[in-house]
Amino acid sequence: MSQHEEINTIDPANISQQELHGYLLSAVAPRPICFASTVDKEGNVNLSPFSYFNLFSVNPPIMIFSPSRRGRDNTTKHTLENVLEVKETVINIVNYDMVEQMSLSSTEYGDGVNEFVKAGLTQVPSDKVNPPRVGEAPVAFECVVDQVIALGDGPGAGNLVLAKVVQIHVKKAFLDAEGKLDTPKLDLVARMGGNWYCRANGDALFEIPKPIRTKGIGVDMLPEAVRNSTVLTGNNLGRLGNLEQLPTKEAIAIIAENAEVKSILNSGENSTALHKLAQQWLAEDKTEDALALLHL
C-alpha cells in the first residue's frame, strides 16, 4: 500500500446505524440473494428476498439467511415469525429474468398478503415441505429449519435461519451437456449497496485456476525485478505464483528465440517492454511462457 494512500478509519460505535449499514452493505458485496417462501401456522404464504445469505455446509447441506429486525421500529419480519411457527422454507435462486419481480416482493405488504400474487410469480407446491416454491426460479431448495439464532434484540439485529436442504429442484434448461449447472446460462444476480445489483454474466464472469490440488511456487519465488514491477499487477503476480514450478533452462531458451522477444532484446529496451509482453501473454492464458519470459 502506498504511504500516500489516505484511509478513513471508522469506529462502528461512533457512527449512526444508517451510516454503518451503508458501509457494510456497500463493501460486503456482491451478496447472493435468498428468495425465501414460508408459511404461518394457518398456511398463509409469504415470499421475501434476503441478501444476508449464503451456503455454509455441504454435509449436511446447510444454507443460512438472516431476516433482520427493522431499523426504524425494531419490529420483526413475517419470514422470521413464520419460520418460528412452521420450521420450513424454500430458498429460491434469483436470476436476471425475475429480478424486478423479486424486488417488488420485498415491499412490506400487510398480514395475509401473498407476495406471489403481488409480484406475478408462479406458486408451485413443494414435495417435502409446506411452503411453495417459485416456478420461475432456475433452482429451488426445499429446506427444514434446524435453528434460528437471534444475534441481538435491537434495531438492525440479525436472526440466523439455519436451513437444511431436503429436496432440490433444477430446471433442465440451466444444465450443460454433462448435466451440471451452467453458470453463464444461470445468469444470476446479486445484491450490492444502495439500489445497486450486479449480474453474473458476460464480461463479469472470469475463471481463475484453483490452487487446491497443487502447490504454487508463490510470489516470493519470483525474481525481485518482477515482484517490484511497475507494469505487472498484483493479479498478474498471483497468477504467476500459482504455477507449480519455476521455468527450466530449456523453457527459457525457447522463449528467448521468440521473434517478438528477440526484437525487444535487440532494441536495447529496458525490462518494461518485456513485462508488458508478459502481461499480454498472461491475458492470453500463456502463463508458463510469461514466467519463462520474466526469467530472461
Side-chain angles (χ1 to χ4, degrees):
M1 182 178 68
S2 169
Q3 295 180 358
H4 305 292
E5 195 170 359
E6 295 185 1
I7 299 293
N8 189 17
T9 301
I10 301 164
D11 184 338
N14 293 334
I15 60 176
S16 70
Q17 181 184 316
Q18 185 176 5
E19 288 177 294
L20 179 58
H21 183 272
Y23 280 116
L24 291 175
L25 271 68
S26 293
V28 184
R31 298 182 306 282
I33 300 169
C34 164
F35 201 16
S37 53
T38 58
V39 295
D40 64 16
K41 58 187 177 183
E42 273 85 43
N44 296 308
V45 175
N46 181 267
L47 180 65
S48 298
F50 300 93
S51 68
Y52 294 168
F53 164 64
N54 219 309
L55 170 69
F56 288 86
S57 173
V58 173
N59 184 23
I62 298 290
M63 298 180 178
I64 301 177
F65 67 97
S66 178
S68 298
R69 302 178 75 92
R70 294 184 180 91
R72 64 178 181 275
D73 58 10
N74 199 27
T75 56
T76 56
K77 297 177 180 178
H78 293 146
T79 299
L80 176 61
E81 296 162 3
N82 286 356
V83 296
L84 291 172
E85 288 186 2
V86 179
K87 297 185 181 301
E88 298 174 342
T89 184
V90 178
I91 295 176
N92 305 276
I93 301 303
V94 180
N95 66 356
Y96 187 75
D97 285 345
M98 58 187 288
V99 66
E100 295 278 2
Q101 289 171 286
M102 177 277 300
S103 178
L104 175 58
S105 75
S106 68
T107 303
E108 294 188 3
Y109 295 110
D111 289 340
V113 175
N114 187 334
E115 288 81 4
F116 275 93
V117 176
K118 285 293 185 183
L121 293 165
T122 306
Q123 189 170 307
V124 179
S126 296
D127 295 340
K128 296 184 177 181
V129 298
N130 287 292
R133 58 188 175 89
V134 175
E136 289 76 7
V139 186
F141 300 92
E142 296 185 24
C143 304
V144 295
V145 175
D146 273 1
Q147 298 180 63
V148 178
I149 303 173
L151 301 180
D153 55 11
N159 296 274
L160 303 185
V161 178
L162 279 66
K164 180 180 178 180
V165 178
V166 294
Q167 189 89 311
I168 305 172
H169 303 274
V170 180
K171 286 190 174 182
K172 292 182 179 180
F174 297 98
L175 301 176
D176 62 18
E178 298 178 354
K180 298 177 181 179
L181 278 168
D182 187 307
T183 294
K185 286 182 181 178
L186 279 171
D187 198 11
L188 301 180
V189 293
R191 197 72 169 86
M192 308 293 285
N195 291 330
W196 290 99
Y197 289 79
C198 69
R199 182 178 184 180
N201 209 331
D203 292 340
L205 292 175
F206 57 93
E207 292 184 287
I208 299 176
K210 283 190 176 181
I212 293 177
R213 295 180 179 85
T214 62
K215 187 176 291 186
I217 58 173
V219 172
D220 60 318
M221 293 298 291
L222 300 175
E224 183 178 358
V226 174
R227 299 197 307 271
N228 296 326
S229 173
T230 59
V231 174
L232 299 170
T233 67
N235 280 336
N236 294 152
L237 298 180
R239 178 63 64 90
L240 292 166
N242 193 38
L243 290 175
E244 295 182 70
Q245 59 185 16
L246 293 168
T248 63
K249 291 181 180 179
E250 292 76 13
I252 296 172
I254 292 172
I255 288 298
E257 293 302 313
N258 176 281
E260 192 170 4
V261 174
K262 289 177 73 173
S263 175
I264 293 174
L265 295 175
N266 292 335
S267 70
E269 293 186 56
N270 59 24
S271 61
T272 298
L274 290 176
H275 288 194
K276 287 182 177 178
L277 179 58
Q279 190 173 58
Q280 176 186 321
W281 287 357
L282 286 170
E284 297 169 358
D285 288 329
K286 298 191 290 189
T287 310
E288 291 84 358
D289 289 347
L291 186 60
L293 170 63
L294 293 168
H295 278 78
L296 287 174

